[in-house]
Amino acid sequence: TGSLGEVLKESTTIVYTFVKSLLVRKFPKNAFFDTAHIHLHCPGGATSKDDPSAGIAMAISLLSLVFNQPVSSNIATTGEMTITGKVLKVDELR
């Protein structure tokens, strides 16, 4: 909910689908999605542009929930993620 553009909505769908398929393939005994209800809310001012570079950050956050493991506070990420889990390079990163 909130103010996601079409590109970010697509990124959230890709991340959700990838993480669910990863669990089925690699961690079949993990029952997180059997009871979890995921809700992503991005307030209007939280997204400065509609671009897919938040994909890997969303994936890491969701995996952190799934495995009940916090993400280290010294990690920063950016990058688009494909449905197969590949992280695409960021062209404008300086």
Side-chain angles (χ1 to χ4, degrees):
T1 62
S3 183
L4 291 179
E6 291 304 312
V7 174
L8 277 171
K9 286 179 187 177
E10 181 182 31
S11 288
T12 60
T13 301
I14 288 169
V15 165
Y16 187 79
T17 302
F18 171 76
V19 170
K20 282 186 82 170
S21 69
L22 177 73
L23 288 184
V24 167
R25 288 181 288 116
K26 303 281 187 179
F27 305 94
K29 293 183 180 179
N30 186 305
F32 177 82
F33 285 106
D34 292 349
T35 57
H37 299 280
I38 304 298
H39 176 90
L40 174 67
H41 178 75
C42 292
T47 54
S48 60
K49 61 182 180 171
D50 186 33
D51 108 4
S53 63
I56 191 61
M58 288 188 286
I60 291 171
S61 298
L62 185 53
L63 287 166
S64 172
L65 283 173
V66 166
F67 293 113
N68 196 27
Q69 292 287 335
V71 178
S72 178
S73 63
N74 66 348
I75 292 178
T77 65
T78 188
E80 180 178 1
M81 192 170 121
T82 69
I83 194 73
T84 60
K86 182 178 179 182
V87 179
L88 303 178
K89 76 175 194 170
V90 180
D91 291 329
E92 295 121 19
L93 194 61
R94 294 183 184 116

